[in-house]
Amino acid sequence: MKNDSDNFLSLEEMQALRAKAEKRASQKSANIPVNVKDYTNEEISRIIHELQVHQIELEMQNDELRNTQTELAKQRERYFELYELAPIGYCTLDKEGKILQANLAASSLLGVDRKKLTHRRLSDFIANDDQDICYLFQKSLLDVSETHSCELRLTRQNQNTLWVQLTAKENDKGSGTILLILNDITERKEAEEAQRIAAMAFESQSGMVITDAQGNIIRVNPAFTRLTGYTSQEAVGMTMELLKSGRHDRHFYKRMWDTLNEHKRWQGEIWNKRKNGKLYAELLTITAVVDPDGNITHYVGNFSDITEDKEAEAVIHRLAYYDPLTRLPNRRLLQERVEQAIASNARSKLYGAIFFIDLDKFKELNDTRGHDVGDLLLIEVAERLRAIVREGDTVARQGGDEFVILLETLKRDPKESAVLAQQIGEKLLESISNPFVLKGYEYRCKLSIGIGLFNEKEMANDLFKHADIALYEAKKSGGNKLLFFDPQMQRDLDLRSMMEYELKEAIALNQFRLYYQPQVDRKQSATGVEALIRWEHPQHGLITPDAFIPLAEESGLIFPIGLWVVQRACAQLKAWEANVHTRHLRIAVNVSARQFRQSDFVALIEKTLETSGANPELLKLELTESLVLENVQDTIEKMDAIKRLGVHFSMDDFGTGYSSLSYLAKLPLNQLKIDRSFVLNLPDNKNDAMIVRTIITMGIGLDMDVIAEGIETPEQFEFLKVHGCQAYQGYLFGRPLEIDALSAYLLQNWERQYTGDRS
Ligand code: C2E
Ligand code: CA
Ligand code: CA
């Protein structure tokens, strides 16, 4: 804008003008000469005075004019500020809507340089969608007496769309132009829109709940009410506990909160409870609302009901992985589980087993009695198989009358694993051999089982093949039997089965012998014996206990065998009572874990003592450390009860287990028995020597006597004697002997003592 103050005169300009005017006046007076002589002096001085007054008047007027001019200039400046630099857009439009003038804000809103704005139409800048509004707005401007306003969007070249409010009014009365005010309302419009979207979203199909930072519900949407059954009034003020189903444990919720606090978001499937008590599954997303300082102010929960999906998922899963008839896992699920088992056994080094099972003569039943009877049998067989195996094992149906069992974890030792598998297989055979009742008819059925063992070395494919071959062999040899794929394993197992069978007969056939090994004091005079069992087998000769006691334990045969030993020992004690050189002798009897754990063990000992009439003080029971540690409480109770009868206790194989002094002191033991392995390398092995000395010291401290077993050399004996051991057992003093040989030994030992013969 050109400087308008140029239109006003400065003082200098004014004086110049006056000079010019005077000059012109003097020229005029030259044309119309003034004769000074025509005026009197008085007249002349009056005229001069008037002229002076006039001049002063003019000067005053001029001053005023100048003041007005300055004021005007100031106001123009303020107008410039207000108009040009205003944050609001101003435009002057003509009646056709063409832009005549625009301020800076208007040009920046319209997105066009000011120079290019003049004579453009306002409508050129309006978004297509809002052209109608613009048209109506401009039409309304014809009525200039009123202020008009509308809201519409501007499209700007290469820039984002803006929302503006347009307000128009007549510029100056009668000027015919319009003043247009443009107000940027984009922010407000966007906020309104966001609010509208949020409101819409809140009314959505998924349940929504907003809680404060403490988890108190402050708002829920209608879908929440629809899904949970709780109205807004019922829910607000409560916590989410309201919906708790009880299906998830503490850890579930703890993990959820941990995740929320750390990541500000949690998503998962959760079971909740409706107001009517019914459980439902929901997919829940919880988002923490955080203020600028990072503090959680609210939680927003958004959930949808996925119960049906879950159920559908379950149905699909059932169809894909389970046999519809028996509800057992199908071939596919079995395959997956076998692969998993192979992988995990490779890590744990445990053996697993696969059983291929086939019903003998199933086809016959199907053909003669119909398929529905056949189906009934399959269902019942499935149930019986399932009942035998453990929870973690898999019983699957391969199709037809073929079943497969996967035993995932057996033992680390292949032989022990085979034994375990065989035992389970035999239980299966036995269970199926019980008659079935199918539609009122009794039906007898038998199985054939092929077994393959696996650990990391064998792949799944070979495994199935092996079990299948074994099954084929089992069927070929007449059915109703189980066979292992590995022939050597099968032979070992057959031997074992044979032995178990024979062991059962051994008591009745009177094949057990009780041997006695002397125990002596430091003067080598006998104080008692350890009873050691032998099996005199008609074909294999004398079998040592290590070869059959474990089998007797597993099969439960240890109960009658163990009892037989106690009875024999007590009978022997009673027999010794008659003789002066034997009546003081003790008999130590070995008790194995399973035997000791039997519930009536205490009663059996008591009864045996009673029936035999033996002196309980002379009976000593040897327990191993591992037995004691298995169940310390039960052990202490039983030992106390037996101790009250007068019976003594010795801790066998002491030092080989995980001895802990704390439990040792609680046990009513009379004796510690140093294991043979520590005696073996005495006195040279420093380590063993130290252990032996420690045990002896410990025994003294616990008020127990100490016996060493396996003494074979005089050096071992000497070392033990020197260090305070009180009792001794080993080949050096005497091997385990049959009763006749022992009697001779004892007599000789007595006589030697009596006659003072010391070697
Ligand atoms: P144990 O209780 O440690 O028995 C000691 C074993 O060491 C006996 O073997 C015995 O013959 C042997 N022995 C004794 N002195 C010496 C020696 O100087 N040198 C060597 N090298 N060996 C010696 P046995 O009789 O073969 O018994 C083996 C295991 O069988 C016993 O170990 C015991 O645990 C068990 N056992 C024996 N009889 C019975 C029984 O009646 N019932 C139960 N449950 N277990 C028994
Ligand atoms: Ca023993
Ligand atoms: Ca021992």
Side-chain angles (χ1 to χ4, degrees):
M1 194 174 174
K2 197 172 179 313
N3 193 350
D4 284 320
S5 56
D6 288 354
N7 298 340
F8 298 90
L9 297 180
S10 69
L11 192 62
E12 292 83 350
E13 282 172 324
M14 197 77 105
Q15 279 166 343
L17 201 67
R18 168 156 282 251
K20 242 160 115 187
E22 271 172 358
K23 197 175 161 198
R24 211 181 302 167
S26 66
Q27 279 167 356
K28 268 189 187 161
S29 56
N31 296 342
I32 312 156
V34 174
N35 193 347
V36 180
K37 287 175 189 147
D38 291 347
Y39 301 94
T40 64
N41 277 351
E42 196 185 349
E43 274 173 334
I44 288 170
S45 58
R46 199 166 36 93
I47 288 169
I48 286 171
H49 174 78
E50 238 160 69
L51 279 173
Q52 277 173 334
V53 169
H54 189 62
Q55 183 174 352
I56 289 166
E57 237 175 50
L58 276 175
E59 274 170 7
M60 283 166 73
Q61 271 178 14
N62 211 18
D63 274 351
E64 219 160 281
L65 203 62
R66 235 183 358 253
N67 283 343
T68 317
Q69 254 182 325
T70 324
E71 191 58 30
L72 209 59
K74 271 192 197 151
Q75 280 188 9
R76 288 216 153 217
E77 220 166 281
R78 193 168 319 136
Y79 168 78
F80 172 75
E81 262 172 35
L82 285 176
Y83 183 89
E84 277 293 277
L85 306 177
I88 295 169
Y90 292 123
C91 280
T92 314
L93 301 181
D94 66 11
K95 284 281 182 208
E96 274 86 55
K98 281 190 192 147
I99 298 170
L100 299 174
Q101 208 182 14
N103 73 348
L104 284 170
S107 82
S108 99
L109 282 174
L110 296 172
V112 176
D113 202 86
R114 235 183 342 164
K115 280 178 240 137
K116 296 182 188 158
L117 265 180
T118 338
H119 303 306
R120 294 275 303 271
R121 291 181 170 281
L122 175 66
S123 58
D124 293 352
F125 302 96
I126 307 301
N128 281 344
D129 288 349
D130 294 345
Q131 284 292 342
D132 286 353
I133 302 175
C134 181
Y135 173 77
L136 289 173
F137 175 68
Q138 280 186 320
K139 217 171 117 187
S140 68
L141 297 184
L142 294 173
D143 177 7
V144 290
S145 63
E146 267 184 58
T147 305
H148 300 278
S149 159
C150 74
E151 291 176 358
L152 38 64
R153 276 160 292 180
L154 299 179
T155 32
R156 293 135 23 101
Q157 258 181 341
N158 308 327
Q159 289 181 61
N160 56 330
T161 305
L162 286 183
W163 271 99
V164 289
Q165 184 190 44
L166 299 182
T167 309
K169 57 181 204 168
E170 198 181 9
N171 205 358
D172 288 311
K173 278 257 150 61
S175 74
T177 59
I178 293 157
L179 175 65
L180 182 72
I181 302 165
L182 298 96
N183 227 332
D184 183 355
I185 55 167
T186 311
E187 228 169 78
R188 192 193 89 208
K189 278 286 181 185
E190 278 174 0
E192 275 172 14
E193 189 170 40
Q195 223 165 18
R196 213 176 53 245
I197 292 170
M200 285 264 289
F202 199 69
E203 299 306 303
S204 78
Q205 289 311 98
S206 44
M208 290 186 88
V209 51
I210 301 175
T211 76
D212 61 17
Q214 284 69 46
N216 302 308
I217 299 174
I218 54 180
R219 247 191 105 180
V220 301
N221 71 349
F224 175 96
T225 304
R226 192 161 43 72
L227 293 171
T228 67
Y230 290 103
T231 64
S232 173
Q233 289 94 312
E234 287 167 330
V236 171
M238 309 294 280
T239 67
M240 290 302 279
E241 298 254 324
L242 184 66
L243 304 176
K244 220 171 188 171
S245 68
R247 273 214 184 172
H248 307 283
D249 58 7
R250 250 174 340 108
H251 304 287
F252 176 87
Y253 292 104
K254 187 179 178 299
R255 274 199 303 277
M256 179 170 123
W257 283 109
D258 287 350
T259 310
L260 254 178
N261 287 329
E262 191 180 343
H263 303 290
K264 308 289 178 267
R265 189 170 181 279
W266 179 88
Q267 185 171 54
E269 292 176 2
I270 181 168
W271 283 94
N272 271 343
K273 192 159 75 182
R274 295 187 224 273
K275 191 181 169 186
N276 64 12
K278 276 203 179 150
L279 298 192
Y280 69 98
E282 63 180 42
L283 178 67
L284 173 64
T285 308
I286 305 177
T287 314
V289 182
V290 182
D291 69 12
D293 296 334
N295 304 314
I296 293 174
T297 60
H298 296 87
Y299 293 101
V300 178
N302 187 320
F303 62 94
S304 52
D305 189 336
I306 52 165
T307 314
E308 275 175 24
D309 301 356
K310 277 261 159 208
E311 279 161 5
E313 203 176 279
V315 169
I316 290 166
H317 186 264
R318 255 205 311 281
L319 286 175
Y321 287 103
Y322 289 86
D323 165 42
L325 178 68
T326 59
R327 295 173 174 268
L328 292 178
N330 63 12
R331 189 191 287 264
R332 194 158 137 200
L333 183 52
L334 173 75
Q335 188 73 42
E336 280 184 19
R337 294 215 179 140
V338 167
E339 276 162 25
Q340 282 166 11
I342 286 174
S344 89
N345 287 17
R347 260 175 273 127
S348 64
K349 301 274 184 284
L350 288 167
Y351 272 83
I354 271 280
F355 287 32
F356 267 45
I357 299 173
D358 193 285
L359 298 180
D360 297 340
K361 298 193 196 120
F362 178 72
K363 197 171 170 300
E364 227 172 84
L365 174 78
N366 242 353
D367 291 348
T368 56
R369 303 272 298 281
H371 284 275
D372 46 342
V373 174
D375 283 355
L376 280 180
L377 178 67
L378 292 175
I379 291 169
E380 291 212 13
V381 166
E383 271 170 22
R384 290 194 192 176
L385 297 180
R386 211 22 296 168
I388 302 282
V389 302
R390 285 180 307 187
E391 197 63 37
D393 296 329
T394 302
V395 179
R397 183 170 172 229
Q398 283 280 83
D401 60 339
E402 282 177 25
F403 295 88
V404 176
I405 294 180
L406 165 67
L407 304 176
E408 288 197 28
T409 50
L410 297 168
K411 305 267 177 184
R412 277 173 203 234
D413 176 68
K415 276 197 183 148
E416 284 177 27
S417 303
V419 169
L420 206 59
Q422 189 188 35
Q423 284 166 352
I424 294 167
E426 260 153 17
K427 276 192 205 154
L428 297 171
L429 289 176
E430 196 199 313
S431 160
I432 299 299
S433 71
N434 293 320
F436 292 87
V437 179
L438 308 172
K439 289 202 167 167
Y441 291 96
E442 192 179 288
Y443 179 76
R444 284 182 184 272
C445 170
K446 297 212 167 351
L447 291 183
S448 293
I449 304 177
I451 303 177
L453 289 188
F454 66 92
N455 64 355
E456 82 256 47
K457 280 176 243 132
E458 259 157 326
M459 299 311 295
N461 287 342
D462 281 350
L463 179 62
F464 277 60
K465 207 162 64 199
H466 291 168
D468 205 23
I469 291 169
L471 174 64
Y472 174 77
E473 292 294 329
K475 280 199 101 81
K476 208 169 66 174
S477 60
N480 192 32
K481 80 187 279 180
L482 66 85
L483 269 186
F484 278 79
F485 168 73
D486 181 348
Q488 182 55 48
M489 191 168 276
Q490 188 59 51
R491 269 195 298 278
D492 291 350
L493 284 164
D494 286 347
L495 260 174
R496 219 184 110 94
S497 304
M498 179 71 133
M499 191 191 223
E500 195 180 319
Y501 172 79
E502 291 175 341
L503 203 53
K504 251 181 231 167
E505 315 273 280
I507 296 180
L509 295 175
N510 200 21
Q511 291 172 348
F512 290 117
R513 307 277 172 268
L514 206 50
Y515 277 52
Y516 301 93
Q517 184 175 29
Q519 296 182 338
V520 301
D521 62 13
R522 35 197 320 129
K523 293 178 195 150
Q524 292 195 48
S525 62
T527 55
V529 294
E530 178 178 6
L532 295 160
I533 195 171
R534 305 283 180 264
W535 179 11
E536 206 171 282
H537 191 278
Q539 282 90 45
H540 308 305
L542 209 59
I543 302 177
T544 58
D546 287 333
F548 67 88
I549 291 288
L551 181 60
E553 280 239 331
E554 271 171 41
S555 59
L557 288 169
I558 193 68
F559 301 141
I561 295 173
L563 184 59
W564 178 86
V565 174
V566 179
Q567 285 168 343
R568 284 315 292 274
C570 286
Q572 195 56 57
L573 285 173
K574 185 70 194 166
W576 278 344
E577 257 184 32
N579 226 315
V580 68
H581 71 275
T582 51
R583 63 165 53 134
H584 64 287
L585 296 173
R586 279 213 165 87
I587 299 185
V589 168
N590 292 287
V591 177
S592 71
R594 186 140 180 220
Q595 191 184 351
F596 185 78
R597 292 284 164 236
Q598 68 187 121
S599 54
D600 55 353
F601 182 71
V602 180
L604 282 174
I605 296 291
E606 189 172 9
K607 196 171 155 229
T608 310
L609 284 166
E610 248 177 54
T611 338
S612 62
N615 176 4
E617 294 285 339
L618 298 178
L619 181 64
K620 182 162 70 183
L621 300 183
E622 290 195 5
L623 307 180
T624 61
E625 250 180 311
S626 54
L627 177 156
V628 167
L629 284 175
E630 238 173 50
N631 183 345
V632 180
Q633 201 46 47
D634 177 64
T635 306
I636 293 177
E637 278 166 25
K638 279 188 171 151
M639 284 176 79
D640 280 339
I642 294 170
K643 174 117 194 182
R644 280 196 289 275
L645 301 173
V647 176
H648 287 213
F649 283 103
S650 179
M651 172 142 292
D652 206 355
D653 305 340
F654 190 71
T656 56
Y658 303 92
S659 333
S660 137
L661 281 173
S662 64
Y663 81 80
L664 204 59
K666 283 189 214 149
L667 299 172
L669 286 169
N670 304 85
Q671 187 177 60
L672 297 180
K673 194 168 192 182
I674 301 173
D675 190 64
R676 210 165 66 215
S677 58
F678 300 116
V679 175
L680 190 64
N681 298 315
L682 287 183
D684 300 335
N685 187 308
K686 294 274 171 299
N687 205 26
D688 289 350
M690 200 192 70
I691 291 173
V692 167
R693 270 169 29 215
T694 309
I695 295 176
I696 295 169
T697 314
M698 197 152 84
I700 294 166
L702 290 166
D703 204 18
M704 297 172 192
D705 65 46
V706 177
I707 183 168
E709 69 178 336
I711 301 162
E712 296 182 0
T713 68
E715 290 76 21
Q716 291 166 343
F717 181 41
E718 193 54 33
F719 179 91
L720 289 159
K721 235 180 355 189
V722 167
H723 288 98
C725 184
Q726 300 104 324
Y728 314 86
Q729 179 184 346
Y731 294 169
L732 181 66
F733 316 104
R735 294 190 169 246
L737 302 166
E738 272 198 284
I739 189 62
D740 293 343
L742 179 76
S743 298
Y745 170 94
L746 289 173
L747 190 60
Q748 199 188 353
N749 183 274
W750 167 264
E751 281 169 358
R752 197 186 53 186
Q753 191 191 6
Y754 192 70
T755 56
D757 171 17
R758 300 278 142 79
S759 51

